[in-house]
Amino acid sequence: MSNVLFDVPGPKARARHRAMAVLGILVVAAILAYIVYRFIDSGQFTARKWEWLQYTQVQTDLANALLATLEAFALGAVLALIFGAIFAAGRLSDHAWLRGISTFIVEFFRAIPLLILMFLFYYGGPAVGISLPPLTAVVLGLTLYNGSVLAEVFRAGIQALPKGQSEAAYALGMRKTQVMTLVLIPQAIRSMLPTIISQLVVLLKDTALGFLVTYPELLYYARYIGSQGDFGRPIVPSTIVIAAIYIALCLLLTALANFIEKRQRRNKKHLEIQRPPMTEDVVGVA
Amino acid sequence: MDVLLDNLDLYGPFFWTTIKLFLISAVASLIFGTFLAGLRVSPVPVFRAVGTAYVTLLRNTPLTLVFVFLVFAYPLLEILELSYFVAAVVALTLYTSAFICEVVRSGINTVPVGQAEAARALGLGFGQILGQIVLPQAIRSVVPPLMSMLIALLKNTTIAAGFSVAEAGAIRQYLSERGDNQLIGLLWVALGFIILVAVLSLIQRSLEKRWSVAR
């Protein structure tokens, strides 16, 4: 927080700030009040639109949808981490042809929209006789896209380490593989962990794209329950509930990233390197 | 090649819609995101809280969910009718602005303290310092991440395909109605995006060179 931009407010500025705060609260309150009014006026807060939450069947289905989201997330995360590690190693290889192939693959999958990747597997597969279930298409897409981004994160982490680290290891007579696995990777992973986790937040949000290839995850279920006439088509309540679940999940992961970052700052064993600003990963797709 | 040539009437207009969707949302998100960043560094705590709440909420919501809300739920509130295209622009802008805000804010932090101090010493107010001294320098220093955000935005426009907007991501649906090979069709769509992303990367590189601040 840069408070260089303004002085410690004097009495006059304080009065002005207070006036602006009141005005700001009024504006925000007016907007919120109008939205709530529209919600009430269009009957979104009537008991009928919310009572679906009380049915045991709905709760079980909701839990299953959550599990489906988490399943896609867990599979995608593990595979993307493996994919990322392999191609980061490929991009750092001493063999030009291996570097070339790895660079091509990573750049290729980063440039294609994730949804198009999922479409390719789900709708394009049958054209060559391969019919994949939605989950496989979703996980494959998540793996290739996020794995490519993670490969860049790993590579940036290793390249950001001071040169002396590998030089010293070579001077001790270590082989290339030893330098990598014993010296560079442990340090790089530790310093890149917060970035890696925020990429996993992106991956978690990206699972919602599964909705568009008929994978029955949380958002798919929200849409389904929202179209049920028996409950008065509660699409507004159901999206609110699902949004709350997604936000809670993402904030949990973010909290983990922050916790790790804080612990690292205390930990003297940790080598402080400048983490390159890899902002594209933090925006991700969905 | 046949799939592309036989369906040029799809690829042309649909990719054009993608580009329009991208350009309008990009300009809107840059403006709204910068405004949010202004809120987040403002001296009034209430403004900061509003900015933080917005960014936290939107950054942790899947973009597809924002689309679902705007396209299926929002019309029930009967506020203002939006066409599918406008709804897509609004969804993309609301979502991308939260990320642009954070990039601009990190840019503000890179501006040397002395710049703002000197401006304050000259008696400039918060608005003047931010608008005339700090932001112009901040934006220049965050050109690369800003462009990465815009590249992500470009790729995100495909999600509109699931919500009745006839853009590049929707080409597949029309191909399947015409009975064409969807795999080949999608590969052409992918190639189109690779080209568009490459163009944006080129712009990024040239802006970086031209706009880098000499410090």
Side-chain angles (χ1 to χ4, degrees):
Chain A
M1 181 53 56
S2 54
N3 43 11
V4 199
L5 291 171
F6 46 87
D7 269 314
V8 177
K12 238 167 133 186
R14 266 208 302 275
R16 199 171 61 235
H17 290 171
R18 225 171 286 134
M20 280 161 76
V22 171
L23 197 71
I25 291 175
L26 282 179
V27 170
V28 172
I31 296 174
L32 287 181
Y34 179 68
I35 294 174
V36 169
Y37 162 71
R38 288 310 321 164
F39 273 81
I40 294 171
D41 193 48
S42 56
Q44 302 306 330
F45 285 150
T46 52
R48 178 155 181 258
K49 295 224 183 216
W50 290 85
E51 65 190 9
W52 53 278
L53 274 171
Q54 294 172 345
Y55 288 84
T56 340
Q57 185 58 43
V58 173
Q59 287 165 359
T60 327
D61 291 347
L62 196 59
N64 283 335
L66 175 62
L67 279 181
T69 288
L70 292 178
E71 189 185 0
F73 167 69
L75 285 173
V78 171
L79 292 175
L81 286 169
I82 296 173
F83 183 94
I86 293 173
F87 282 90
R91 289 204 68 173
L92 291 166
S93 157
D94 286 339
H95 308 287
W97 62 273
L98 201 55
R99 271 202 313 272
I101 294 175
S102 310
T103 309
F104 175 77
I105 288 179
V106 166
E107 292 298 332
F108 182 76
F109 287 118
R110 262 168 20 120
I112 300 179
L114 178 49
L115 185 62
I116 301 291
L117 274 181
M118 290 184 186
F119 277 178
L120 267 173
F121 295 121
Y122 188 66
Y123 294 109
V128 286
I130 307 168
S131 285
L132 297 174
L135 173 65
T136 317
V138 170
V139 170
L140 269 179
L142 289 174
T143 303
L144 293 177
Y145 177 77
N146 290 287
S148 300
V149 178
L150 283 173
E152 290 296 275
V153 174
F154 293 147
R155 190 176 66 105
I158 287 177
Q159 283 181 337
L161 291 172
K163 252 188 136 188
Q165 294 289 327
S166 54
E167 283 170 353
Y170 280 122
L172 288 174
M174 286 191 187
R175 316 251 346 196
K176 206 164 68 185
T177 330
Q178 287 176 310
V179 174
M180 249 323 172
T181 53
L182 295 178
V183 179
L184 298 184
I185 291 179
Q187 300 189 70
I189 290 208
R190 215 180 268 179
S191 64
M192 297 309 274
L193 212 47
T195 315
I196 293 170
I197 295 180
S198 44
Q199 184 58 32
L200 294 184
V201 173
V202 172
L203 198 150
L204 175 62
K205 290 196 298 167
D206 284 349
T207 58
L209 286 172
F211 164 62
L212 298 174
V213 289
T214 70
Y215 178 55
E217 41 74 75
L218 272 178
L219 193 53
Y220 190 88
Y221 188 67
R223 174 87 179 99
Y224 166 78
I225 202 82
S227 64
Q228 295 301 303
D230 294 347
F231 302 124
R233 303 189 192 287
I235 183 73
V236 176
S238 70
T239 37
I240 293 176
V241 170
I242 300 298
I245 297 179
Y246 273 114
I247 292 172
L249 289 176
C250 292
L251 285 181
L252 274 178
L253 266 181
T254 312
L256 178 67
N258 288 341
F259 170 75
I260 290 174
E261 201 162 14
K262 240 182 233 143
R263 213 188 49 181
Q264 276 180 357
R265 230 175 281 143
R266 281 205 313 268
N267 189 350
K268 287 280 180 295
K269 274 188 287 184
H270 171 60
L271 183 68
E272 197 61 57
I273 63 166
Q274 212 183 357
R275 212 176 300 129
M278 301 264 314
T279 27
E280 193 195 353
D281 4 304
V282 191
V283 81
V285 184
Chain B
M1 206 50 161
D2 282 352
V3 180
L4 177 66
L5 292 180
D6 292 347
N7 296 292
L8 272 182
D9 57 320
L10 283 183
Y11 282 87
F14 280 40
F15 260 105
W16 175 232
T17 311
T18 297
I19 293 173
K20 273 194 295 190
L21 203 55
F22 164 69
L23 289 178
I24 301 175
S25 321
V27 172
S29 330
L30 283 174
I31 295 172
F32 189 48
T34 312
F35 168 74
L36 284 172
L39 283 186
R40 288 205 69 177
V41 296
S42 115
V44 185
V46 178
F47 291 178
R48 288 204 296 268
V50 170
T52 312
Y54 181 90
V55 169
T56 313
L57 276 184
L58 266 290
R59 285 217 312 178
N60 290 303
T61 312
L63 176 55
T64 328
L65 182 65
V66 182
F67 265 100
V68 166
F69 186 81
L70 273 171
V71 172
F72 298 126
Y74 169 83
L76 299 180
L77 303 180
E78 291 160 4
I79 295 177
L80 186 73
E81 245 180 81
L82 301 179
S83 69
Y84 286 124
F85 182 83
V86 176
V89 168
V90 173
L92 288 167
T93 304
L94 289 179
Y95 180 79
T96 314
S97 303
F99 293 91
I100 302 258
C101 163
E102 291 304 275
V103 174
V104 172
R105 202 165 65 100
S106 74
I108 290 176
N109 289 333
T110 66
V111 178
V113 179
Q115 296 285 327
E117 279 176 348
R120 252 166 55 196
L122 289 174
L124 300 189
F126 172 75
Q128 289 168 309
I129 298 179
L130 192 64
Q132 296 175 22
I133 312 288
V134 175
L135 265 187
Q137 299 183 57
I139 302 263
R140 280 167 170 235
S141 70
V142 290
V143 164
L146 268 187
M147 288 302 286
S148 307
M149 292 292 157
L150 295 185
I151 291 175
L153 167 66
L154 171 71
K155 293 188 281 182
N156 283 341
T157 57
T158 48
I159 297 176
F163 301 91
S164 313
V165 180
E167 46 77 46
I171 290 175
R172 179 205 68 76
Q173 227 170 309
Y174 290 78
L175 287 182
S176 98
E177 278 163 26
R178 294 182 178 188
D180 269 316
N181 189 322
Q182 295 186 48
L183 181 67
I184 310 284
L186 277 166
L187 286 174
W188 283 112
V189 174
L191 185 70
F193 274 99
I194 291 177
I195 294 172
L196 288 177
V197 169
V199 169
L200 281 180
S201 307
L202 278 181
I203 298 177
Q204 173 178 17
R205 230 161 282 154
S206 86
L207 278 184
E208 230 174 294
K209 243 180 247 154
R210 201 166 350 141
W211 276 15
S212 59
V213 199
R215 280 197 190 122

